[in-house]
């Protein structure tokens, strides 16, 4: 175990985002100050005020802590302002609603001193934590938090059992490297996801979650609104689940549809013919678009530093060059055009009279599909090349 001090001589900064927390702020500050004193930690307490109007600032001033005024609204904005002003080598952030016990801070600091970059608190029994009676709504405890944590573990390989916990510690170096962008409640989610994707040393310590101590105002978290925001954020950081896998499934259904419809197969009383072919083409076109969007999203996210470089994508683009994309798209569009032109020729041979609908459409639908896929491939090849120019 080693003790790391910044140039200011501060080892640990405790940052509390604050928006009208007058009921509980004094208790949280006092507990944090006592933890620093009792364990001889060279630290500071920072209250990042996000526009309180209930006397929270006066309470913080009276207790002698540092106050950072953050004008831009949002949970993430408040934390960004507080962390930017911090002087410690390590930072512990925690809500000022008295639901977290700041006396547990030494447990986080011990893990940070041992070399971990991010130390998550775990409120759930799966990770050794405890939820006091009345501290967490049943929907959050039994569905929301476990479900989102499971997604984080499966999609991003996050090694924690409570990805939503707001009490956590991290090194200032990690925070600077992550370049977090979220100004709202997604800030905490972005931190743990990015840390996992970048292969940082992440661990957790069990904590106890207590009931919200505020009486004059309700919780800032809104179940369904913020649940959707979390899911939306997960999807945006996982192009594979948002675009790639659904696209592959659609193309698979489309291929099955073609295999059934082109020879007009029958299964039981069901006959698969032209209408099946039309639906199959729709699935293939949408699937192609979805996969292309996965490439766009991944390329842009890597070039902007939102996601780490992916060796699989690098290998793909070694073979899928602009020129090969143009060639593939051109061949597809040409093949489709030949099919379409052949049907126009057949129509002309009848002096533009009626055609056998069921027969002709089995050429027209694949032809139109190939033209659409070819043109989309050509355009997409140019666009993804433009997106990757910054990366190169």
């Amino acid at each position: 175990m080693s003790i790391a001090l910044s140039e200011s001589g501060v080892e640990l900064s405790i940052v509390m985002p604050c928006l009208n927390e007058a009921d509980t702020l004094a208790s949280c500050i006092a507990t944090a100050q006592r933890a620093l004193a009792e364990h001889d930690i060279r630290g500071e307490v920072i209250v990042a005020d996000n526009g309180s109007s209930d006397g929270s600032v006066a309470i913080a001033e009276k207790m002698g802590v540092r106050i950072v005024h953050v004008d831009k609204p949002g949970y993430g904005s408040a934390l960004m302002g507080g962390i930017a002003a911090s002087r410690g080598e390590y930072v512990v952030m925690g809500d000022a609603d008295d639901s977290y016990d700041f006396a547990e801070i030494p447990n986080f600091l011990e893990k940070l001193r041992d070399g971990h970059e991010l130390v998550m608190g775990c409120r759930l029994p799966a990770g050794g934590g405890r939820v006091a009676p009345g501290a967490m709504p049943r929907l959050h405890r039994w569905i929301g938090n476990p479900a989102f944590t499971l997604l984080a573990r499966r999609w991003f390989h996050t090694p924690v059992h409570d990805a939503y916990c707001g009490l956590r510690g991290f090194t200032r170096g990690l925070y600077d490297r992550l370049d977090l962008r979220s100004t709202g409640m997604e800030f905490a989610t972005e931190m743990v996801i990015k840390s996992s994707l970048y292969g940082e040393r992440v661990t957790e310590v069990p904590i106890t979650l207590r009931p919200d101590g505020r009486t004059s105002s309700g919780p800032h978290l809104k179940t369904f609104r913020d649940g959707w925001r979390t899911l939306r954020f997960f999807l945006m950081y996982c192009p594979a689940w948002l675009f790639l896998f659904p696209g592959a499934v659609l193309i698979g259904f489309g291929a099955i549809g073609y295999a059934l419809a082109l020879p007009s197969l029958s299964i039981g009383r069901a006959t698969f013919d032209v209408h099946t072919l039309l639906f199959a083409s729709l699935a293939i076109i949408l699937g192609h678009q979805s996969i292309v969007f996965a490439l766009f999203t991944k390329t842009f996210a890597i070039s902007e530093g939102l996601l780490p470089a992916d060796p699989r994508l690098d290998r793909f683009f070694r073979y899928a060059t602009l020129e090969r994309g143009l060639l593939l798209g051109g061949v597809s569009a040409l093949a489709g055009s030949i099919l379409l032109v052949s049907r126009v020729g057949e129509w002309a041979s009848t002096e533009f009279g009626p055609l056998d609908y069921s027969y002709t459409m089995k050429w027209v639908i694949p032809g139109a599909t190939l033209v659409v896929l070819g043109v989309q491939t050509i355009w997409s090849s140019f666009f993804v090349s433009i997106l990757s120019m910054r990366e190169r």
Side-chain angles (χ1 to χ4, degrees):
M1 181 184 297
S2 62
I3 298 177
L5 297 179
S6 66
E7 294 180 0
S8 65
V10 176
E11 182 186 14
L12 176 66
S13 296
I14 302 169
V15 178
M16 301 180 189
C18 178
L19 177 59
N20 296 327
E21 317 283 358
D23 293 337
T24 53
L25 183 59
S27 174
C28 292
I29 293 174
T31 303
Q33 290 175 327
R34 188 163 54 251
L36 294 176
E38 290 178 354
H39 293 270
D40 196 24
I41 300 170
R42 301 181 68 174
E44 63 179 351
V45 177
I46 298 174
V47 172
D49 186 70
N50 206 200
S52 297
S53 58
D54 65 345
S56 295
V57 173
I59 293 172
E61 290 175 344
K62 182 178 179 180
M63 301 194 70
V65 301
R66 293 182 61 201
I67 302 169
V68 177
H69 296 281
V70 182
D71 295 329
K72 187 174 183 179
Y75 175 74
S77 296
L79 283 167
M80 288 178 185
I83 296 169
S86 66
R87 299 174 296 189
E89 184 74 18
Y90 307 123
V91 178
V92 168
M93 58 177 253
D95 301 340
D97 59 8
D98 216 22
S99 60
Y100 295 124
D101 185 359
F102 287 94
E104 297 178 301
I105 284 176
N107 298 329
F108 289 81
L109 183 57
E110 181 181 358
K111 295 286 187 180
L112 292 169
R113 287 172 173 173
D114 286 342
H116 293 91
E117 297 286 344
L118 174 63
V119 183
M120 295 287 297
C122 181
R123 306 162 294 178
L124 303 180
R130 175 178 175 268
V131 178
M136 185 183 295
R138 291 183 178 181
L139 186 61
H140 296 189
R141 180 174 180 179
W142 301 112
I143 298 179
N145 281 315
F148 284 128
T149 297
L150 178 62
L151 286 180
R153 290 173 69 89
R154 294 291 176 85
W155 290 4
F156 309 108
H157 308 292
T158 302
V160 298
H161 296 86
D162 185 8
Y164 236 135
C165 184
L167 182 61
R168 60 186 68 182
F170 47 90
T171 65
R172 182 58 187 268
L174 171 69
Y175 176 78
D176 292 337
R177 290 195 302 275
L178 292 182
D179 187 25
L180 302 178
R181 313 289 180 88
S182 302
T183 59
M185 51 81 61
E186 298 92 342
F187 176 89
T189 306
E190 182 182 4
M191 179 184 291
V192 68
I193 287 177
K194 271 192 166 182
S195 296
S196 302
L197 290 175
Y198 279 88
E200 304 289 353
R201 293 192 64 189
V202 181
T203 189
E204 61 185 350
V205 295
I207 65 170
T208 297
L209 181 70
R210 305 179 303 199
D212 188 329
R214 293 170 297 187
T215 58
S216 58
S217 62
H220 300 305
L221 186 67
K222 303 298 182 183
T223 298
F224 293 103
R225 180 201 66 184
D226 293 330
W228 159 244
R229 288 171 63 178
T230 300
L231 178 59
R232 179 185 66 184
F233 189 85
F234 276 25
L235 289 170
M236 288 192 298
Y237 262 81
C238 195
W241 283 99
L242 181 59
F243 297 118
L244 182 61
F245 298 151
V249 170
L250 284 169
I251 288 178
F253 278 122
I256 293 172
Y258 262 73
L260 294 172
L262 283 177
S264 299
L265 294 180
S266 295
I267 300 177
R269 298 178 62 181
T271 299
F272 300 92
D273 211 324
V274 174
H275 293 88
T276 303
L277 201 63
L278 187 61
F279 278 90
S281 289
L282 176 62
I284 290 174
I285 291 171
L286 291 178
H288 177 269
Q289 288 180 332
S290 189
I291 290 174
V292 166
F293 265 84
L295 291 175
F296 291 165
T297 306
K298 189 84 170 182
T299 303
F300 175 78
I302 291 174
S303 67
E304 288 294 314
L306 299 174
L307 292 175
D310 190 335
R312 295 170 299 180
L313 193 67
D314 293 337
R315 288 194 296 270
F316 173 80
F317 281 123
R318 268 191 231 114
Y319 297 98
T321 61
L322 170 62
E323 292 73 21
R324 287 174 177 167
L326 297 180
L327 179 61
L328 178 62
V331 169
S332 176
L334 178 62
S337 298
I338 292 174
L339 290 178
L340 294 175
V341 169
S342 69
R343 294 310 93 195
V344 173
E346 181 183 352
W347 187 31
S349 69
T350 66
E351 297 183 352
F352 302 103
L355 294 172
D356 182 351
Y357 167 80
S358 61
Y359 173 77
T360 303
M361 292 304 290
K362 285 190 177 181
W363 293 86
V364 171
I365 292 174
T369 302
L370 286 171
V371 170
V372 170
L373 294 177
V375 173
Q376 284 184 342
T377 299
I378 291 171
W379 290 345
S380 300
S381 298
F382 274 114
F383 188 58
V384 79
S385 296
I386 293 171
L387 287 178
S388 60
M389 286 177 65
R390 178 175 177 180
E391 183 184 358
R392 293 172 186 169

